[in-house]
């Protein structure tokens, strides 16, 4: 029985150490998860901001192109009409072959 009494405190001590290690690991995993979440959120926000900038640039380019097209149609209405007819013919030809 004396031998069992000396083993019992050692087992309790080892169990306590394991609980402490498990608690430390749990805390570190939670911390790593929080860091990963923050990194993902930062990356998402950066991508969203970049997409917004690209969208704005695209809209500005489209507005400029639209303005140039309007000017061309006003300056050269017959050429614009001929180009539109030609483009319509090509699209119709391509779609009819399908």
């Amino acid at each position: 029985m004396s031998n069992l009494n000396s083993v019992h405190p050692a087992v309790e001590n080892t169990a306590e150490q394991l609980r402490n290690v498990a608690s430390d690991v749990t805390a570190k995993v939670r911390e790593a998860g929080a860091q990963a979440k923050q990194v993902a959120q930062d990356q998402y926000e950066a991508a969203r901001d970049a997409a917004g900038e690209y969208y704005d640039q695209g809209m500005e380019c489209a507005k400029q192109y639209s303005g140039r097209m309007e000017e061309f149609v006003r300056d050269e209405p017959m050429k614009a009409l001929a180009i539109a007819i030609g483009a319509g013919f090509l699209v119709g030809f391509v779609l009819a072959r399908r």
Side-chain angles (χ1 to χ4, degrees):
M1 186 75 168
S2 159
N3 197 12
L4 281 177
N5 288 337
S6 65
V7 171
H8 182 64
V11 169
E12 285 183 12
N13 186 27
T14 302
E16 183 63 28
Q17 288 175 347
L18 288 174
R19 282 192 287 274
N20 290 339
V21 168
S23 177
D24 290 345
V25 168
T26 300
K28 288 180 182 181
V29 167
R30 283 188 180 141
E31 182 181 330
Q35 288 175 350
K37 179 182 177 182
Q38 186 61 46
V39 167
Q41 188 172 12
D42 292 345
Q43 292 295 321
Y44 167 76
E45 289 173 3
R48 185 186 64 206
D49 292 344
E53 290 176 20
Y54 288 132
Y55 175 80
D56 292 342
Q57 290 174 0
M59 288 300 293
E60 184 62 33
C61 185
K63 286 177 185 177
Q64 289 175 358
Y65 182 72
S66 175
R68 287 188 298 205
M69 290 303 297
E70 285 180 22
E71 185 179 324
F72 176 75
V73 170
R74 283 191 193 117
D75 292 344
E76 303 285 343
M78 295 308 287
K79 283 184 183 178
L81 181 61
I83 291 170
I85 290 171
F89 176 75
L90 287 174
V91 169
F93 182 73
V94 169
L95 291 178
R97 294 190 76 196
R98 289 184 174 204

